[in-house]
């Protein structure tokens, strides 16, 4: 297999695009694809101040790398979730995020959930749900809150995450199986900001997971190989496997499923109900927007965590 | 496993409904489900004159059986497609359809494509596309035309087909993968009639294929076991297999995918564009509605078939 551009030996063959490229041209092709998405979906402008959520994994570190190469100004945010028991997952991913920032002369904010809120994600889950649920939904809630708080407090215009096509297609697939209108209408590469809520963007949404893996490997980005231990057996991984079977038999199926959805949405397939969404309130403690008056979900979670911790100490 | 109603030995266990039933109660349960769909989706009324498209397969013969048991007046329509070469598929399915009608004292119309239009479906396909495509799309076009013609000429109020849940979910799945708005918005148990187009209904849309199979077996309906030979390797069978994998791991997934779609549509998820659809024209030859002036797709197909046949004779 030869590089489509220079004829040298190809390093990456993408059946989904009928395109093979050598290392040099692949490392140019990926950032060009990202730039194309940024422009096509109007994600952000050159002069805007951006915060990249960095987990230490291949997608978010590659995204940060690519944004820098494309000349965008992007700081990083690493949230230490305290998922360490026995495996050092958070410790290792933080080390890699910090190392990447140092090596590239980039600015990284680190928020430690335990130091700031008194408990790690596994502890919060055990205290509030007695460990009966997986921590994923709580973890998502906490990360969304922290990302939004940092973006607001430090005046970032936009929050970028490293979700790739496989992530996006799996979420879309799940929302389609249940036809969740509310979630379907929120999905896409760009979630516009509103009062108190930062704009959220996903510049990698058109790149397959294996394309991002190839980028990280060829660019020699040091990232954490392990998946979060709690992700094993999750619904999203199940949907990814199902879509992979479809993709294996019909290369490009995943991409066309996602792009056709965006196109159908753009051309008015759906009734855009978000425009008539009820007004948001301000959380009485943290000030972040919330759907009901009083405390937001995050502050309610923290309150439950603290009261359980106090009870444990008193008994 | 015991019958949920009488405690006798169960004949059918439906994981998707967490319900097991004996033969007697299963043969009551299926018609009750069909009646529920007829009422829920407002498919037709007791006094309406109905035409059931009967293929000789388990679904359409069971549908005819059930409608009769529920007290509806339904005649049958068998369309002989001439898919016989070497296998006698059409001959055998016609024999079974006729036998069912005779045994039940029901009225069956038989339309023979070759006698009426001069060529079988395989012949039309060979003549118009030199055999380069599978005959399925042509077969669908011809059947739709004939069903509609008979319904119009003989004054039937409604056309019923034996599509089961697996059929409907597979079509929905395909239309969702490509986000085909036009097809998504037409899908459902009821396609209202309009000038020159009969109302179309699918009373079996909530019943799994294996539930219909169990009904046909327990009711001792003699049907054709073979699938149409041209259906092998079709896209719809591929989607059915994919949905079966999903269903195996999550019983009920197929039903909830389909029902959630209908519910989302009903509650306004989609912009109902069909309402602003362009006006239909009348075919200058057969008089059936068509999207463009002049001949309809069916009459254009026939014209091509005839001219190719004449050329063949002249050379």
């Amino acid at each position: 297999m030869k590089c489509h551009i220079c004829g040298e030996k190809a390093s990456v063959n993408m059946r989904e695009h009928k395109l093979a490229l050598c290392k040099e041209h692949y490392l140019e092709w990926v950032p060009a694809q990202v730039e194309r998405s940024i422009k096509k979906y109007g994600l952000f402008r050159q002069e805007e101040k951006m915060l990249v959520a960095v987990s230490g994994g291949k997608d978010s570190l590659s995204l940060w790398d690519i944004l820098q190469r494309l000349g965008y100004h992007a700081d990083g945010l690493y949230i230490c979730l305290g998922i360490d028991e026995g495996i050092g997952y958070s410790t290792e991913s933080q080390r890699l995020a910090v190392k990447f920032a140092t090596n590239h002369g980039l600015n990284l904010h680190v928020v430690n959930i335990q130091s700031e809120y008194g408990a790690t994600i596994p502890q919060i889950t055990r205290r509030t749900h007695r460990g009966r649920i997986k921590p994923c939904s709580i973890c998502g809630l906490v990360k969304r809150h922290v990302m939004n708080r940092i973006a607001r407090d430090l005046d970032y215009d936009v929050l970028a995450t490293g979700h790739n096509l496989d992530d996006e297609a799996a979420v879309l697939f799940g929302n389609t199986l249940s036809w969740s209108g509310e979630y379907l209408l929120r999905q896409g590469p760009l979630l516009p900001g509103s009062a108190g809520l930062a704009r959220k963007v996903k510049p990698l949404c058109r790149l397959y997971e294996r394309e991002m893996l190839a980028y990280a490997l060829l660019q020699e980005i040091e990232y954490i190989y392990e998946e979060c231990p709690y992700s094993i057996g999750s619904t999203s991984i199940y949907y990814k496997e199902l879509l992979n079977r479809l993709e294996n038999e019909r290369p490009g199926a995943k991409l066309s499923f996602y792009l056709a959805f965006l196109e159908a949405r753009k051309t008015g397939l759906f009734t855009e109900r978000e425009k008539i969404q009820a007004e948001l309130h301000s959380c009485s403690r943290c000030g972040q927007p919330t759907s009901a008056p009083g405390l937001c979900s995050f502050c309610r979670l923290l309150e439950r965590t603290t009261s359980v911790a106090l009870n444990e100490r008193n008994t």
Side-chain angles (χ1 to χ4, degrees), chain A residues 61-265:
Chain A
L61 288 180
S62 295
L63 171 61
W64 207 8
D65 177 273
I66 292 164
L67 290 173
Q68 190 199 19
R69 286 172 195 274
L70 291 173
Y72 291 99
H73 175 81
D75 290 344
L77 167 63
Y78 177 83
I79 305 174
C80 180
L81 305 161
I83 299 174
D84 265 328
E85 296 137 348
I87 45 155
Y89 176 76
S90 287
T91 305
E92 178 63 4
S93 56
Q94 181 168 349
R95 185 184 73 78
L96 292 166
V98 170
K99 190 175 171 188
F100 183 91
T102 311
N103 289 349
H104 290 75
L106 291 164
N107 185 25
L108 179 70
H109 306 285
V110 175
V111 172
N112 188 301
I113 298 297
Q114 187 165 32
S115 326
E116 298 216 13
Y117 304 108
T120 65
I121 294 291
Q123 284 168 347
I124 294 176
T125 311
R126 274 197 295 276
R127 286 186 194 161
T128 52
H129 293 80
R130 298 183 194 168
R132 279 176 309 205
I133 62 160
K134 290 183 71 157
C136 305
S137 61
I138 286 176
C139 186
L141 171 66
V142 170
K143 285 192 287 191
R144 282 193 299 276
H145 176 89
V146 171
M147 289 191 293
N148 204 54
R149 172 170 76 79
I150 300 291
R152 182 194 62 182
D153 291 355
L154 304 176
D155 272 331
Y156 285 96
D157 299 303
V158 55
L159 243 169
T161 54
H163 293 94
N164 59 41
L165 174 65
D166 293 47
D167 298 324
E168 291 301 279
V171 172
L172 177 60
F173 189 70
N175 290 336
T176 303
L177 282 183
S178 59
W179 292 99
S180 320
E182 192 192 340
Y183 292 107
L184 276 174
L185 293 174
R186 281 173 61 88
Q187 196 168 356
L190 169 74
L191 192 62
S194 56
L197 281 173
R199 185 194 330 152
K200 285 183 186 158
V201 298
K202 296 165 182 168
L204 305 183
C205 67
R206 293 163 67 111
L207 287 155
Y208 281 78
E209 208 225 313
R210 61 166 180 267
E211 292 170 358
M212 291 316 300
L213 177 64
Y215 183 84
L217 292 173
L218 294 177
Q219 199 64 275
E220 294 176 31
I221 291 170
E222 207 184 335
Y223 65 88
I224 185 158
Y225 293 98
E226 286 75 27
E227 295 284 332
C228 171
Y230 293 112
S231 71
I232 296 162
S234 70
T235 313
S236 69
I237 288 192
Y238 172 68
Y239 291 149
K240 280 184 183 180
E241 285 167 0
L242 217 130
L243 288 170
N244 281 342
R245 292 183 218 165
L246 191 69
E247 179 75 25
N248 280 341
E249 288 164 67
R250 316 197 159 191
K254 219 182 277 182
L255 184 62
S256 74
F257 171 58
Y258 183 67
L259 294 186
F261 165 77
L262 295 183
E263 189 58 29
R265 206 183 131 179

